[in-house]
């Protein structure tokens, strides 16, 4: 029920963490970003297999209806069943057959599934009653299969993109959206939920079931169930068009990122780049046909993929190279056949039109209807953090200018955007005697994951074990894990796809749902279907015989995404509509992810993962102390960058008139006047790569990172209050965090969940304190 589900919830890493750049990195997460696969706050989670009358061993049982379809519909003929048997999307699987799905399977698979589910929906509408077993149970079964299958396709498009797959998705996407619209606007189902809400049995329902009912009612209203005739037709047209436009936006960003390649044959042009970056550039050259390329002798290829791009921006002494690469990144997808400018305009017009059809003044009100905040409270929070950050950001710039001048560089008189990251890195090295690049050997991916899993064991009492081979994967680099409780019983599973593959994989980092925990969809004699997630990052792959050696920022990103996965996997809710990350207000969903980042600065945790990949030497304590000291380096500047992204998002979705004479770039420049110390370039087109709000679930919702950061910082302060060196207190507090924030999912409101953990409402003070942005006492 509810508005058309474009995809299952995807949570992205925020831009500042994914790229730490003065501009937006595609898809991070946060890249955030990237579309990284969008998901609306009102969307519901994945569901699993529809069981039918065939034997449990038959892959056809989910696709031969218990009821005989009408003559106008597809029947289970021998030929149809043969096609079903050969299509991995239509198989009865415990884990998705990612490696078997090809573009050729998408059209017949999705269409066969939609035909089946249309019959299921008609049967449900005919027999529906305002009772849990007659309404929610069959609805969960019905929606789950399409969510699961579509997410397999959508995920492969994000991590294994191809022209054939794009074409197949483009063909069937309108049919998928049409079905979700039909489902979301079903009046019999809507009326049945309302009947439950108004029944005498309402007070006896659990909190989780009440949240399911209330969420379905609200989703239905936001999905146009109350609209009639021409208005409903118009609403549905808008939804179809928005789906196409957001998909195209994302594809343009990916293609524009892939399009830029700079071949370099003179090593002097790359002076300053660390050995890891030279190795990656040579490895890229080999993949592009330069068979004899080497880190020492080249040739080298620079791309806009994050590991390559960031290395140039932070370390290349060649200012002209930095400028060229920066300008290419800043203007991605803003010209030619990949230009997103008109797509942005169309998206904003359609969102505004949709909002007015639903009776709202602007799209922000629609977006926030399923969130914790209101427009006024969002603007109040953003202004409070902006004001607290501004003077610190101004001082950051003054410090940087003074440092460049003292260094004797001519750039001091003309500091520009492509200089900021380079000189900031030099200043950080000078001020804290710490070189992030030299730390890579201490952060080998296998050790980082071991340390992360040990932390999860200490805090939450779980064990994470490799389970490679149990599930089929889409790339040989993908790892599969089983999560077990203290009694050694499995409670969840997850995939981890760590490395950048710019030729086929979107940039950024994200977590998404494969299966949600569900009592209704339990199988094989179990009492509940266990949750399954996937985590996707884009860090530097192994080079030669070296493992993937991570920057500290990449370590933070892995902890962040694992926080999302934990909330999905450690849920104790058995109602799939509110299990894990499903049903949680979007501006609270970043709480556990940002909470986990704090542990990267916890001494015991960091020293457990920071071991030299060759010698085994633990990171020296003096370097740890420097990392902690440098934690808030340029915190004001980074905070303002997030405020800029959130503020322009809110402006575009509240006061901006997409049919008026003012351009979206004018709006961005106006916002930048109060959120950016160094004015943006006139040709700044970062909006054309802002996948979070134009191809993701963060439209009028990017503020959620800051909103949830207030919650996460306050949550971590509970561990500080208990004493970070007090193992018993940490364990007790960790279990309480698991039993509330991680366990309750969408079964209670976020404020209730937070209060259950913290014993009071959240305060912004810990966030400002953690970031060093509190006023200094006289």
């Amino acid at each position: 029920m509810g508005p058309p589900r474009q995809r299952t919830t995807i949570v992205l890493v925020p831009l500042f963490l994914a790229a730490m750049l003065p501009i937006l990195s595609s898809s991070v997460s946060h890249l955030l970003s990237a579309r990284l696969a969008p998901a609306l706050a009102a969307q519901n989670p994945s569901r699993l297999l529809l069981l039918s009358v065939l034997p449990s061993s038959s892959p056809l049982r989910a696709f031969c209806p218990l009821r005989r379809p009408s003559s106008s519909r597809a029947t289970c003929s021998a030929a149809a069943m043969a096609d079903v048997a050969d299509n991995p999307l239509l198989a009865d699987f415990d884990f998705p057959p990612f490696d078997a799905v090809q573009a050729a399977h998408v059209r017949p698979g999705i269409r066969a599934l939609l035909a089946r589910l249309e019959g299921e929906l008609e049967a449900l509408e005919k027999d529906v009653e305002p009772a849990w077993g007659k309404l929610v149970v069959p609805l969960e079964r019905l929606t789950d299969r399409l969510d699961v299958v579509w997410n397999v396709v959508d995920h492969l498009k994000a991590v294994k993109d191809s022209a054939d797959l794009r074409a197949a998705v483009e063909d069937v996407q309108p049919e998928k959206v049409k079905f979700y619209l039909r489902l979301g606007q079903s009046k019999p189902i809507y009326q049945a939920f309302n009947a439950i809400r108004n029944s005498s049995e309402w007070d006896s329902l659990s909190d989780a079931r009440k949240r399911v009912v209330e969420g379905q009612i609200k989703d239905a209203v936001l999905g146009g169930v109350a609209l009639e005739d021409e208005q409903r037709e118009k609403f549905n047209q808008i939804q179809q068009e928005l789906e196409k436009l957001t998909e195209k936006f994302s594809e343009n960003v990916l293609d524009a990122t892939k399009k830029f390649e700079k071949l370099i044959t003179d090593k002097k042009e790359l002076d300053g780049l660390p050995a890891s970056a030279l190795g990656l550039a040579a490895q890229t050259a080999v993949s592009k046909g330069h068979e004899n390329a080497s880190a020492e002798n080249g040739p080298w290829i620079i791309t806009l993929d994050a590991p390559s791009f960031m290395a140039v921006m932070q370390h290349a002494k060649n200012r002209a190279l930095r400028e060229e690469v920066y300008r290419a990144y800043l203007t991605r997808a803003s010209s030619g056949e990949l230009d997103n400018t008109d797509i942005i305009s169309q998206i904003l017009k359609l969102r505004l039109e949709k909002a007015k059809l639903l009776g709202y003044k602007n799209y922000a009100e629609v977006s926030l209807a399923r969130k914790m905040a209101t427009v006024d409270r969002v603007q109040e929070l953003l202004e409070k953090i902006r004001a607290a950050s501004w003077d610190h950001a101004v001082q950051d710039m003054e410090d940087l200018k003074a440092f460049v001048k003292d260094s004797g560089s001519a750039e001091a008189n003309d500091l520009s955007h492509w200089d900021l990251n380079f000189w900031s890195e030099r200043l950080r090295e000078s001020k804290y005697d710490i070189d992030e690049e030299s730390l890579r050997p201490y952060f080998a991916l296998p050790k980082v994951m071991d340390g992360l899993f040990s932390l999860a064991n200490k805090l939450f009492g779980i064990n994470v074990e490799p389970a490679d081979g149990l599930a089929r994967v889409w790339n040989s680099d993908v790892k599969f894990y089983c999560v077990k409780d203290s009694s050694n019983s499995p409670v969840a599973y997850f995939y981890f796809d760590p490395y950048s593959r710019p030729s086929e994989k979107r940039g950024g980092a994200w977590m998404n749902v494969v299966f949600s925990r569900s009592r209704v969809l339990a199988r094989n004699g179990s009492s509940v279907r266990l949750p399954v997630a996937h985590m996707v990052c884009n860090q530097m792959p192994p080079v030669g015989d070296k493992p993937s050696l991570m920057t500290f920022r990449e370590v933070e990103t892995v902890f962040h995404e694992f926080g999302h996965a934990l909330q999905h996997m450690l849920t104790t809710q058995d109602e799939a509509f509110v299990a894990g990350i499903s049903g949680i207000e979007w501006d609270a969903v970043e709480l556990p992810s940002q909470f986990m980042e704090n542990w990267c600065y916890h001494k015991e945790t960091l020293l457990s993962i920071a071991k030299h990949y060759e010698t085994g030497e633990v990171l020296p304590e003096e370097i740890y102390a420097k990392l902690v000291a440098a934690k808030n380096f340029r915190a004001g500047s980074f905070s303002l960058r997030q405020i800029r992204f959130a503020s322009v998002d809110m402006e575009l979705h509240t006061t901006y008139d997409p049919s008026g004479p003012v351009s979206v770039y004018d709006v961005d420049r106006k916002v930048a006047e109060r959120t950016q110390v160094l004015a943006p370039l006139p040709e700044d087109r970062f909006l054309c790569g802002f996948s979070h709000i134009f191809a993701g679930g963060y439209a009028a919702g990017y503020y959620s990172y800051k909103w949830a950061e207030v919650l996460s910082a306050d949550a971590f302060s509970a561990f500080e209050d208990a004493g970070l060196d007090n193992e018993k207190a940490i364990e007790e507090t960790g279990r309480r965090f698991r039993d509330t924030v991680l366990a309750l999912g969408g079964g209670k409101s976020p404020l209730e969940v937070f209060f259950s953990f913290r014993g009071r409402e959240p305060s912004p003070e810990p966030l400002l304190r953690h970031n060093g942005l509190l006023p200094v006492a006289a």
Side-chain angles (χ1 to χ4, degrees):
M1 192 65 172
R5 271 164 282 214
Q6 297 178 18
R7 290 163 197 90
T8 305
T9 306
I10 278 189
V11 276
L12 309 174
V13 76
L15 301 180
F16 82 96
L17 180 60
M20 299 299 286
L21 297 173
I23 54 175
L24 173 68
S25 173
S26 155
S27 169
V28 180
S29 179
H30 35 82
L31 293 89
L32 300 194
S33 336
R35 168 177 113 237
L36 322 167
L40 302 176
Q43 287 170 351
N44 294 317
S46 302
R47 319 272 166 253
L48 189 79
L49 303 174
L50 292 163
L51 305 178
S52 68
V53 296
L54 290 175
S56 61
S57 60
S58 172
L60 306 179
R61 64 189 180 121
F63 295 93
C64 287
L66 188 59
R67 294 177 177 273
R68 200 66 180 163
S70 65
S71 58
S72 63
R73 300 201 178 281
T75 61
C76 290
S77 65
M81 294 203 310
D83 289 341
V84 167
D86 292 337
N87 193 317
L89 289 173
L90 304 184
D92 181 12
F93 46 74
D94 289 319
F95 298 106
F98 286 112
D99 61 338
V101 176
Q102 303 295 324
H105 297 128
V106 173
R107 293 179 183 88
I110 296 297
R111 284 170 176 153
L113 179 56
L114 288 172
R116 159 65 195 265
L117 296 181
E118 185 66 35
E120 294 284 328
L121 179 54
E122 287 182 0
L124 174 59
E125 289 178 318
K126 180 180 177 182
D127 298 335
V128 70
E129 297 176 16
W132 206 261
K134 293 286 190 175
L135 172 60
V136 181
V137 170
L139 181 64
E140 185 179 326
R141 290 187 182 281
L142 189 154
T143 57
D144 184 84
R145 182 61 183 189
L146 181 54
D147 283 347
V148 168
V149 172
W150 184 260
N151 284 330
V152 169
V153 174
D154 198 53
H155 176 67
L156 288 173
K157 190 169 178 292
V159 298
K160 201 172 182 180
D161 188 43
S162 70
D164 289 344
L165 184 56
R166 283 189 186 185
V169 170
E170 185 177 347
D171 280 355
V172 297
Q173 190 164 263
E175 299 164 48
K176 182 264 300 185
V177 174
K178 182 179 179 181
F179 177 81
Y180 276 133
L181 287 166
R182 159 93 168 80
L183 172 63
Q185 294 167 0
S186 169
K187 290 200 172 179
I189 294 176
Y190 173 64
Q191 290 163 356
F193 273 113
N194 268 312
I196 291 178
R197 178 66 182 86
N198 297 321
S199 73
S200 59
E201 297 180 2
W202 175 253
D203 291 338
S204 66
L205 291 182
S206 66
D207 288 344
R209 290 194 168 188
K210 286 179 180 178
R211 291 267 294 177
V212 169
V213 172
E214 290 171 338
Q216 291 295 318
I217 292 171
K218 179 157 282 189
D219 288 352
V221 172
L222 294 176
V225 71
L227 301 178
E228 300 290 349
D229 304 327
E230 291 182 5
Q231 283 192 324
R232 176 180 290 198
E233 184 178 348
K234 183 61 178 174
F235 181 91
N236 292 351
Q237 289 174 353
I238 288 172
Q239 289 297 106
Q240 288 281 10
E241 190 61 24
L242 281 172
E243 182 88 357
K244 293 177 187 176
L245 290 169
T246 54
E247 196 76 29
K248 183 61 176 173
F249 184 99
S250 179
E251 290 173 356
N252 284 350
V253 173
L254 176 62
D255 290 347
T257 303
K258 287 163 44 176
K259 188 176 181 180
F260 179 89
E261 292 179 3
K262 183 170 179 63
L263 178 67
I264 295 177
T265 56
D266 185 352
K267 194 174 184 180
K268 292 179 181 177
E269 292 187 44
L270 298 177
D271 189 20
L273 258 65
S276 60
L278 291 172
L280 177 63
Q283 192 164 283
T284 303
V286 170
S287 71
K288 301 294 182 180
H290 300 273
E291 298 178 2
N292 298 318
S294 68
E296 181 62 31
N297 300 314
W300 305 267
I301 289 181
I302 300 298
T303 71
L304 298 183
D305 199 45
S308 176
F309 173 72
M310 283 304 300
V312 171
M313 299 313 299
Q314 289 186 322
H315 301 291
K317 295 180 180 180
N318 183 344
R319 193 187 192 198
L321 176 64
R322 295 201 309 265
E323 179 178 358
E324 179 183 357
V325 174
Y326 178 88
R327 287 183 181 275
Y329 193 92
L330 187 72
T331 56
R332 283 179 311 157
S334 66
S335 63
E337 61 181 11
L338 300 178
D339 191 353
N340 274 337
T341 303
D342 186 55
I343 291 176
I344 291 173
S345 178
Q346 292 180 65
I347 288 173
L348 292 173
K349 287 176 183 177
L350 290 170
R351 285 175 178 168
L352 180 58
E353 191 173 357
K354 172 183 172 179
K356 292 185 174 179
L357 279 172
L358 293 173
Y360 292 93
K361 290 188 296 185
N362 53 58
Y363 185 75
E365 291 184 351
V366 176
S367 176
L368 271 64
R370 284 288 267 140
K371 295 182 172 70
M372 295 175 66
T374 63
V375 172
D376 288 343
R377 290 195 67 189
V378 169
Q379 292 172 336
E380 178 185 342
L381 176 68
L382 294 180
E383 176 54 27
K384 181 171 185 174
I385 298 177
R386 188 205 69 81
S389 305
W390 180 261
D391 288 346
H392 293 272
V394 170
Q395 188 60 52
D396 288 345
M397 185 60 71
E398 293 303 313
D399 292 346
L400 192 62
K401 288 179 178 177
F403 174 76
V404 179
K405 184 176 181 180
D406 290 345
S407 300
S409 172
E411 297 174 20
N413 300 319
D414 183 29
L415 211 58
S416 194
H417 292 275
W418 45 85
D419 303 317
L420 298 184
N421 279 276
F422 176 80
W423 286 108
S424 292
E425 192 65 15
R426 305 291 81 74
L427 174 58
R428 197 166 72 95
E429 292 167 357
S430 172
K431 188 173 183 177
Y432 300 102
D433 189 26
I434 189 170
D435 173 10
E436 185 165 278
E437 193 62 28
S438 68
L439 297 180
R440 280 188 187 268
Y442 289 96
F443 295 123
L445 177 63
K447 279 292 184 187
V448 170
M449 300 308 290
D450 287 346
L452 176 58
F453 298 157
S454 294
L455 175 66
N457 174 262
K458 181 171 75 172
L459 294 178
F460 311 126
I462 59 172
N463 293 301
V464 181
E465 300 178 359
D468 294 321
L470 183 61
R472 299 158 74 175
V473 297
W474 53 93
N475 184 280
S476 59
D477 290 331
V478 176
K479 302 298 181 185
F480 190 66
Y481 295 95
C482 176
V483 180
K484 296 183 177 181
D485 62 17
S486 57
S487 66
N488 207 37
S489 298
V491 296
Y493 299 89
F494 70 98
Y495 303 81
F496 180 41
D497 184 353
Y499 307 131
S500 168
R501 296 189 299 276
S503 65
E504 64 176 11
K505 182 179 175 183
R506 287 195 178 94
W510 65 92
M511 168 267 165
N512 202 358
V513 173
V514 179
F515 298 141
S516 287
R517 181 180 171 96
S518 170
R519 173 186 51 81
V520 169
L521 293 162
R523 47 189 288 149
N524 301 325
S526 63
S527 61
V528 68
R529 181 185 67 182
L530 298 182
V532 181
H534 57 64
M535 289 168 49
V536 181
C537 293
N538 266 284
Q539 64 197 52
M540 186 178 292
V543 176
D545 59 356
K546 295 181 181 179
S548 175
L549 302 177
M550 306 167 68
T551 66
F552 187 68
R553 301 302 176 194
E554 288 172 337
V555 174
E556 288 182 297
T557 298
V558 170
F559 273 61
H560 179 105
E561 297 306 333
F562 191 60
H564 283 308
L566 285 170
Q567 187 171 38
H568 179 64
M569 296 188 295
L570 299 188
T571 185
T572 56
Q573 298 289 359
D574 291 338
E575 304 291 346
F577 286 113
V578 291
I581 61 174
S582 303
I584 297 177
E585 283 76 351
W586 196 247
D587 40 10
V589 79
E590 297 294 337
L591 191 170
S593 57
Q594 295 180 150
F595 164 81
M596 286 299 294
E597 291 176 36
N598 289 283
W599 293 99
C600 294
Y601 290 94
H602 179 233
K603 183 176 180 180
E604 181 183 337
T605 300
L606 187 65
L607 296 185
S608 74
I609 66 176
K611 297 179 181 179
H612 198 283
Y613 80 100
E614 289 179 315
T615 67
E617 175 198 7
V618 176
L619 184 76
E621 289 203 19
E622 59 268 25
I623 296 182
Y624 163 75
K626 292 172 184 177
L627 264 177
V628 173
K631 177 177 181 286
N632 290 329
F633 178 61
R634 294 179 61 79
S637 299
F638 292 135
S639 178
L640 273 191
R641 182 175 308 148
Q642 287 296 89
I643 298 301
R644 176 193 174 189
F645 297 151
S647 297
V648 72
D649 173 33
M650 289 303 292
E651 289 286 336
L652 291 175
H653 290 106
T654 52
T655 60
Y656 178 64
D657 179 5
S659 298
V662 178
S663 75
V664 291
Y665 306 121
D666 294 332
V667 174
D668 182 40
R669 280 190 286 272
K670 187 70 175 176
V671 168
E673 290 176 6
R674 53 189 175 84
T675 59
Q676 194 164 313
V677 176
L678 184 63
L681 296 175
E683 62 270 35
D684 187 325
R685 294 293 182 269
F686 101 87
L687 287 174
C688 288
F690 202 171
S691 296
H692 280 74
I693 70 170
F694 296 121
Y698 290 81
Y702 196 86
Y703 78 89
S704 298
Y705 288 112
K706 282 299 179 188
W707 187 274
E709 201 176 350
V710 170
L711 303 176
S712 64
D714 199 349
F716 187 73
S717 72
F719 290 81
E720 295 174 321
D721 294 345
L724 291 175
D725 295 326
N726 185 334
E727 293 227 0
K728 187 172 186 297
I730 290 298
E731 181 179 314
E732 291 174 351
T733 310
R735 297 304 191 274
R736 192 168 78 249
F737 187 87
R738 172 181 173 167
D739 293 341
T740 53
V741 175
L742 300 181
L744 296 177
K748 287 183 179 289
S749 74
L751 275 179
E752 286 182 279
V753 172
F754 186 89
F755 199 96
S756 296
F757 171 66
R758 203 68 178 95
R760 58 167 174 75
E761 292 191 356
S763 165
E765 187 272 340
L767 172 61
L768 297 176
R769 173 169 54 82
H770 287 171
N771 289 344
L773 299 177
L774 284 177
V776 178

